Amino acid sequence: MDYLSGLNENQRAPVEHIEGPIMVIAGAGSGKTRVLTYRIAHMINSGIDPFNILALTFTNKAASEMKQRISTIVGDGEAKNIAMGTFHSVFAKLLRYNSERLGYPSNFTIYDTQDSRSLIKTIIKELKLDDKEYKPASVHGRISSAKNNLISPEEYANNAEIVGEDRMSRRPLIYQIYKIYMQRCFKAGAMDFDDLLYQTNVLLRDFPEVLHYYQQKFKFVLVDEYQDTNYSQYLIVKKIAAVYENICVVGDDAQSIYSFRGANIQNILNFKKNYPDYQLYKLEQNYRSTKNIVEAANSVIAKNQDQIKKDVWTENDKGAHIKVVKCLTDNEEGRVITNKIFDVKQSTGAEYSDFAILYRTNAQSRSFEESLRKLNMPYKIYGGLSFYQRKEIKDLIAYFRLTANPNDEEALKRVINYPKRGIGNTTMEKIIIAAQQYDVSLFDIMSDFVRYPVSIGSAAQKKIIDFVTMVKSFGADLDRVPAFDLAQRIATSAGILKNLHDDKTPEGVARYENIQELLAGVKEFSISNRDAENNSLSDFLIDVALLTDADKDNEDDKNKITLMTIHASKGLEFPHVFIVGLEENLFPSQLSINSRTELEEERRLFYVAVTRAEKTCTLSHVQSRFRFGQIISSEPSRFIDEIDEQFVEHENAYSDKATAGRSLNSDRKFRGGLNAPGPRTNGFSTRNLKKIDSTPNTGGGTTETLKVGYNVVHERFGKGKVTGLEGAAPNQKATVFFPRVGQKTLILKFAKLTISED
DNA sequence: ATCAAGGCTTTTTTT
DNA sequence: AAGCCTTGAT
């Protein structure tokens, strides 16, 4: 397949540059994903073993789409062996194999944000601190950013600057909360999201043999959206790539929008320092958008001080102006935008899936949902309260978690009395105190009242013992029984199915259906990983903990209008984009307008939003909006004025047609987890074979000159015949015809080629 | 131990 | 407006 011809010269250069450190600065719409995809395909076609490739993407969906596309070029069997996914999911799986070295169980739990906050809240209470001053969410933010900068609790406590900041904000004891939080997570056998990166760093730092193993395994490293990596991620990549320095990072500083979770543009600048002989490539031609859109976006981003200069341009048509629509209220905004979508669809024959409504905050989706539902237009909301965050789903998953890891304190607290089994707060308080006294987990106390006496009545003790016995019996099946069968058993025995089935209210019925859907998801996971080694219920839990809404699109969602935050839209594109709620204090956010750097991040966010559009881009703002249960009057966003006026057209909104009524939430569908990579299969024997040339790491050895006409065997492509040679060692390439897979041009130092004697 | 009522905060953005 | 938590009654 002649995949290289689908690229322009600028794109082709980094695709063919496989070795050594390279950085690709890719403007919006310049074909960045295409470059990454083809580069990986090209590497594999050149003979690089997919097992040696680590590719880190921003979402799991991006990873699975890229894998899909690579498969069509190099074949399914090849692509599935690439380690590809988000930092969090790739390293969660890596930790699964190595966590015991760090003192964590291999079935460690992944705490989500809610778990982390709940634990922090508990600690604040135990320390008898005022939770008005010590708000769990913001304490968690401090801890999270410490972890993302690899600052341990001890270092935190000894860092005068950090502790000084805490003192200034009248929360001098955060260092103590941090320390206890880490200890409690460790005791619970739990890692939070930040730990997945933090503990990976600890692992690679303290276990040289592990570092060495992954340095040899991942000889080629690629990182997408490099501008949004934080220090912790940066260091992982740097360590793994330290031996071969075959590292390719791709990013765009103008699209850096995640500094709130530790992303650091400094990483782009550090790249030059760490790899002085790196090669820089720039992709500046935009293939996505009209001239008006590209230039309008340029005119806004030019207002930022912090940026790497580049010149994004396009050969596309001029296209329509950017439209700015003014509305009275948020409800009118919903109707006006919805009507516009209807009109454009009628007049141009566009599909529903050609439209996206993008907003700054999830809460803004409401008015659009209402209007779309009234007009019967199909839509899909991404983000917000996702399927996995629903109470009933979290409840059942908590049982799964407890089964895999009985020390998981947050899961235990969640389900100990759900469904109601008469184990109330008073009882739990006593158990918690005992656990502190004996320095063991809650589950340990509950498992052995003889060894750990607690003053609880015998009736309550019996109930607890029943619960513990049940959980233990689930645990006994963990590695014996397929994930789905165990999940089904848990849902039944724990009484969840019955409890929800008895609830005949519409909400109860919906919850029951959601549980059924989760179970169906486990079933799908079980089936698609039937032959893999990572197919237990605890493997399912890893997937579930790290899945997001964007990762689980299904068939039913194909032709629908997209509603999402701008953050979630990164990397996507739509013919018609509506950016709504362009008002001061909303976009830019109220919390950002007092600092230049934060305001510039909001501006980059606006840049990202505008550059999602292919054909038309419409902005809207309202005069008064409902917020915090109050009507707030709003001024148009400064970003509207910052667009060079030659690209803009102002428009009056439709008149406000009054409508009334409100209905239920939209349905969101659930689909099962990601496929874990299967076992490696390689049907070739190495008998009668002589090794030629060398992989980059091995020095001498017996090598023999390859000649045209020789029969050769490739580890994965099978037998073939050399039809051509070009270049000289060490960069010699051979064209080989393989009857099984066709003609390939192999780079000899990568391709594991052997001359066949027969 | 459980439930209902009333008061309170909450909204950036996400793995 | 909605969800969460505390409070107080049973």
Side-chain angles (χ1 to χ4, degrees):
Chain A
M1 179 173 177
D2 191 12
Y3 52 92
L4 290 175
S5 64
L7 300 167
N8 70 28
E9 239 171 71
N10 287 332
Q11 293 170 333
R12 190 171 167 148
V15 165
E16 294 191 294
H17 187 152
I18 289 175
E19 272 183 292
I22 77 170
M23 176 154 76
V24 183
I25 298 291
S30 62
K32 174 177 67 97
T33 308
R34 202 180 176 80
V35 165
L36 266 177
T37 309
Y38 285 1
R39 190 170 188 271
I40 295 171
H42 184 62
M43 287 163 75
I44 294 172
N45 260 330
S46 302
I48 289 170
D49 190 331
F51 278 93
N52 292 141
I53 300 174
L54 169 66
L56 298 162
T57 59
F58 201 70
T59 61
N60 286 308
K61 189 186 179 197
S64 62
E65 283 176 0
M66 210 181 286
K67 259 191 189 178
Q68 196 61 45
R69 284 171 68 181
I70 294 170
S71 299
T72 63
I73 302 173
V74 302
D76 236 10
E78 301 284 315
K80 73 172 186 202
N81 296 325
I82 307 166
M84 194 185 296
T86 62
F87 273 89
H88 288 86
S89 65
V90 167
F91 294 112
K93 282 169 190 165
L94 186 150
L95 282 169
R96 183 115 152 83
Y97 294 113
N98 295 284
S99 56
E100 281 168 1
R101 294 174 198 263
L102 299 169
Y104 286 85
S106 70
N107 284 345
F108 64 85
T109 298
I110 298 173
Y111 272 1
D112 66 15
T113 306
Q114 229 183 75
D115 297 317
S116 298
R117 287 190 185 164
S118 149
L119 175 53
I120 287 169
K121 192 172 183 176
T122 307
I123 295 168
I124 290 170
K125 259 193 207 145
E126 286 170 3
L127 292 174
K128 302 202 163 46
L129 297 170
D130 178 5
D131 68 356
K132 294 282 184 300
E133 295 284 357
Y134 290 87
K135 292 194 173 130
S138 78
V139 172
H140 180 231
R142 294 289 286 170
I143 293 173
S144 173
S145 89
K147 278 191 185 172
N148 285 327
N149 287 299
L150 301 180
I151 297 166
S152 68
E154 295 73 43
E155 288 161 339
Y156 191 107
N158 295 324
N159 185 313
E161 194 188 331
I162 296 176
V163 176
E165 285 165 8
D166 287 345
R167 208 171 292 130
M168 291 286 279
S169 58
R170 283 178 297 160
R171 298 172 304 179
L173 296 178
I174 290 182
Y175 77 92
Q176 206 174 341
I177 301 172
Y178 182 18
K179 184 176 153 202
I180 298 171
Y181 173 72
M182 281 287 252
Q183 289 167 348
R184 289 282 274 273
C185 285
F186 183 77
K187 271 188 204 152
M191 296 199 200
D192 66 14
F193 285 137
D194 304 315
D195 274 326
L196 297 176
L197 309 172
Y198 184 100
Q199 303 296 350
T200 298
N201 267 294
V202 173
L203 180 75
L204 299 179
R205 181 192 68 197
D206 296 347
F207 298 89
E209 70 279 16
V210 176
L211 174 62
H212 181 254
Y213 174 81
Y214 287 107
Q215 284 173 334
Q216 293 304 320
K217 173 164 169 57
F218 297 131
K219 294 190 172 76
F220 298 87
V221 181
L222 300 95
V223 187
D224 193 9
E225 308 284 8
Y226 194 64
Q227 77 282 354
D228 284 325
T229 54
N230 60 37
Y231 180 70
S232 184
Q233 295 169 321
Y234 155 83
L235 205 60
I236 292 172
V237 167
K238 183 172 173 237
K239 281 188 170 172
I240 289 178
V243 173
Y244 293 104
E245 294 200 345
N246 294 319
I247 173 168
C248 166
V249 302
V250 182
D252 178 7
D253 61 293
Q255 296 183 61
S256 165
I257 54 174
Y258 278 94
S259 70
F260 70 90
R261 74 176 203 213
N264 191 346
I265 303 194
Q266 203 59 35
N267 292 342
I268 288 189
L269 308 172
N270 276 344
F271 197 84
K272 304 176 184 180
K273 283 188 212 139
N274 294 148
Y275 313 100
D277 58 343
Y278 84 112
Q279 179 86 44
L280 175 68
Y281 295 93
K282 280 193 183 178
L283 303 178
E284 297 181 312
Q285 182 177 358
N286 176 303
Y287 296 92
R288 177 186 296 155
S289 316
T290 65
K291 248 192 204 83
N292 265 322
I293 291 169
V294 169
E295 290 175 11
N298 284 345
S299 72
V300 174
I301 201 71
K303 305 270 192 299
N304 271 8
Q305 257 178 54
D306 296 334
Q307 57 178 315
I308 298 171
K309 282 288 166 218
K310 60 183 152 330
D311 176 31
V312 180
W313 57 281
T314 185
E315 283 177 354
N316 292 343
D317 289 344
K318 199 163 183 331
H321 284 90
I322 307 249
K323 288 206 182 70
V324 176
V325 186
K326 178 176 174 178
C327 309
L328 278 174
T329 66
D330 44 359
N331 285 331
E332 191 194 49
E333 187 184 37
R335 290 192 289 276
V336 168
I337 298 299
T338 309
N339 283 327
K340 280 191 174 299
I341 292 175
F342 187 85
D343 290 347
V344 175
K345 185 171 185 298
Q346 291 298 309
S347 59
T348 66
E351 300 285 340
Y352 285 119
S353 55
D354 292 340
F355 298 89
I357 299 173
L358 307 180
Y359 35 76
R360 180 66 181 82
T361 65
N362 283 305
Q364 286 166 258
S365 67
R366 200 210 81 246
S367 62
F368 302 96
E369 284 180 76
E370 282 176 12
S371 321
L372 288 168
R373 212 177 299 115
K374 269 177 218 150
L375 292 184
N376 251 327
M377 293 161 78
Y379 63 93
K380 156 107 174 123
I381 299 186
Y382 294 79
L385 184 69
S386 82
F387 183 81
Y388 303 102
Q389 287 167 343
R390 294 178 185 199
K391 183 188 173 302
E392 63 276 17
I393 299 301
K394 293 203 73 157
D395 288 338
L396 181 51
I397 287 178
Y399 273 102
F400 296 168
R401 279 166 50 173
L402 204 54
T403 299
N405 171 19
N407 293 331
D408 181 339
E409 194 176 316
E410 295 305 313
L412 177 73
K413 284 189 198 158
R414 187 172 185 104
V415 298
I416 181 74
N417 202 25
Y418 174 79
K420 294 266 179 314
R421 47 174 73 84
I423 307 173
N425 282 336
T426 327
T427 308
M428 285 312 287
E429 294 291 332
K430 288 177 185 161
I431 290 171
I432 289 167
I433 289 167
Q436 307 254 352
Q437 266 172 10
Y438 293 104
D439 194 27
V440 295
S441 72
L442 303 186
F443 198 82
D444 288 334
I445 300 283
M446 291 163 51
S447 304
D448 197 344
F449 287 123
V450 178
R451 188 162 161 204
Y452 308 115
V454 184
S455 62
I456 300 174
S458 63
Q461 283 200 18
K462 164 116 185 14
K463 289 170 189 162
I464 291 172
I465 290 167
D466 286 349
F467 178 80
V468 165
T469 310
M470 175 178 75
V471 171
K472 281 182 175 163
S473 81
F474 297 155
D477 278 353
L478 193 60
D479 295 314
R480 282 208 317 245
V481 173
F484 172 70
D485 302 64
L486 180 55
Q488 183 77 44
R489 193 188 141 207
I490 293 172
T492 311
S493 310
I496 291 186
L497 281 177
K498 182 173 184 313
N499 180 272
L500 291 177
H501 197 68
D502 291 346
D503 183 349
K504 298 298 183 194
T505 64
E507 295 82 14
V509 173
R511 284 193 208 107
Y512 183 78
E513 284 169 1
N514 284 336
I515 290 289
Q516 293 295 355
E517 219 169 326
L518 178 65
L519 290 171
V522 181
K523 178 148 211 160
E524 199 179 309
F525 173 86
S526 267
I527 291 170
S528 61
N529 293 292
R530 194 187 305 124
D531 304 319
E533 54 184 277
N534 306 319
N535 63 355
S536 74
L537 193 59
S538 31
D539 294 298
F540 176 79
L541 285 175
I542 291 189
D543 279 4
V544 157
L546 300 171
L547 270 185
T548 63
D549 270 13
D551 298 328
K552 54 179 184 63
D553 251 337
N554 65 21
E555 283 302 307
D556 298 356
D557 294 332
K558 273 271 162 61
N559 195 11
K560 292 187 176 179
I561 298 166
T562 297
L563 275 69
M564 55 171 52
T565 63
I566 301 165
H567 281 90
S569 76
K570 193 171 72 158
L572 305 178
E573 57 188 10
F574 305 89
H576 306 285
V577 167
F578 296 82
I579 308 167
V580 300
L582 271 160
E583 295 134 41
E584 284 294 300
N585 296 330
L586 180 59
F587 190 17
S589 158
Q590 193 168 7
L591 300 160
S592 316
I593 50 180
N594 292 320
S595 119
R596 178 180 65 81
T597 55
E598 287 180 56
L599 186 61
E600 293 199 350
E601 176 147 320
E602 294 283 308
R603 193 175 283 116
R604 291 193 292 272
L605 192 58
F606 182 61
Y607 176 80
V608 167
V610 172
T611 54
R612 298 310 93 201
E614 296 169 1
K615 292 186 181 133
T616 73
C617 178
T618 306
L619 316 178
S620 68
H621 64 95
V622 309
Q623 287 177 302
S624 60
R625 171 179 299 282
F626 228 57
R627 256 187 127 187
F628 309 121
Q630 274 190 322
I631 293 171
I632 312 248
S633 77
S634 314
E635 293 296 311
S637 167
R638 68 191 73 190
F639 296 146
I640 295 177
D641 292 331
E642 287 178 1
I643 307 172
D644 191 326
E645 62 181 319
Q646 60 172 308
F647 307 117
V648 181
E649 180 184 313
H650 290 264
E651 197 180 287
N652 287 321
Y654 295 49
S655 69
D656 197 4
K657 297 171 211 146
T659 34
R662 190 159 290 184
S663 43
L664 295 163
N665 288 325
S666 79
D667 60 324
R668 285 174 215 141
K669 289 287 173 81
F670 165 77
R671 195 171 57 80
L674 296 164
N675 300 347
R680 181 172 186 176
T681 51
N682 168 6
F684 290 96
S685 103
T686 46
R687 278 179 301 119
N688 298 328
L689 302 173
K690 254 180 273 167
K691 196 168 169 35
I692 50 160
D693 215 283
S694 57
T695 47
N697 53 328
T698 56
T702 49
T703 63
E704 190 179 318
T705 323
L706 196 66
K707 293 198 175 95
V708 173
Y710 274 26
N711 288 319
V712 292
V713 175
H714 185 271
E715 199 183 15
R716 300 186 318 277
F717 302 149
K719 289 185 181 176
K721 198 183 200 71
V722 179
T723 58
L725 287 167
E726 59 175 306
N731 291 314
Q732 193 177 29
K733 295 178 187 174
T735 313
V736 183
F737 181 77
F738 297 99
R740 257 192 13 186
V741 294
Q743 183 148 307
K744 300 266 180 192
T745 302
L746 303 174
I747 302 172
L748 288 177
K749 70 182 159 196
F750 297 140
K752 291 183 177 127
L753 216 52
T754 42
I755 296 175
S756 168
E757 300 243 307
D758 41 64

